[in-house]
Amino acid sequence: MSITDSIRSYGAVFPLAILRILMGFIFLWAFFDKMFGLGYSTSSENAMINGGSPTEGFLRYGTDTLSWLADYFAVTDVIMMAGLMLLGFALILGIGMKVATVGGVLMVIIMFIGVAPPTTNPLIDYHIIYIFVLLAIYLAHAEDLLGLGKQWKEISIVRKYPILE
């Protein structure tokens, strides 16, 4: 019996499908808040739509590790915002989970490196939890439940290029 079969046999797929959708909303909310300055982590005047840089504070003041990226704010901003939006939609809809998992894990690792070491716990923080949630969602094929995963995998281009699954 494979690990995936074990997970499925214990009924963990439904909670993981819910976690997939919730994780999608976390990333999508971050996109909307940074784009439009909804006042939670980004004020209106710092919104990207008003000329603000969603990565400037993090890259310039939050860390020395990634400060070299501060020279490339415009490119970094576009990549981060596109990543947040695409990852959010992919997780909510349950499509493109291979790419979403790899992209999401890489994005979260970069964010983690930027705040390492964690300030609230010397060993672990939510970034590490997000990585394992993304991996669990992918390994359990949680996109097939409460998502469009099965239909997505039947699209001809996805069948031709399995990396798009």
Side-chain angles (χ1 to χ4, degrees):
M1 179 180 270
S2 72
I3 292 174
T4 302
D5 292 336
S6 297
I7 291 170
R8 287 179 184 272
S9 69
Y10 289 105
V13 178
F14 183 74
L16 286 171
I18 299 293
L19 269 174
R20 185 198 81 233
I21 294 166
L22 294 173
M23 287 289 295
F25 277 113
I26 287 172
F27 287 105
L28 200 56
W29 179 261
F31 166 79
F32 283 119
D33 189 46
K34 291 174 186 334
M35 178 61 77
F36 301 108
L38 302 176
Y40 290 88
S41 65
T42 307
S43 64
S44 179
E45 60 271 3
N46 291 329
M48 192 171 182
I49 200 165
N50 293 329
S53 170
T55 60
E56 182 177 6
F58 176 74
L59 294 176
R60 183 170 288 160
Y61 307 109
T63 178
D64 292 329
T65 311
L66 298 176
S67 60
W68 62 274
L69 286 173
D71 295 334
Y72 307 100
F73 282 138
V75 173
T76 307
D77 287 344
V78 170
I79 291 170
M80 187 189 91
M81 294 298 283
L84 289 171
M85 181 185 68
L86 293 172
L87 183 56
F89 281 125
L91 288 168
I92 290 168
L93 297 174
I95 60 174
M97 291 305 296
K98 281 184 183 179
V99 176
T101 301
V102 171
V105 167
L106 288 174
M107 180 182 279
V108 173
I109 286 172
I110 290 169
M111 290 175 182
F112 177 73
I113 289 170
V115 296
T119 57
T120 58
N121 183 316
L123 302 175
I124 196 163
D125 76 349
Y126 69 92
H127 295 94
I128 303 301
I129 304 301
Y130 284 3
I131 289 168
F132 282 97
V133 168
L134 288 169
L135 292 172
I137 288 166
Y138 173 72
L139 292 173
H141 297 283
E143 70 274 10
D144 294 345
L145 184 62
L146 303 177
L148 302 173
K150 288 180 183 176
Q151 296 88 338
W152 177 259
K153 292 172 192 170
E154 293 302 316
I155 297 173
S156 61
I157 193 167
V158 176
R159 280 188 285 154
K160 186 174 182 179
Y161 301 103
I163 188 70
L164 298 174
E165 288 181 355

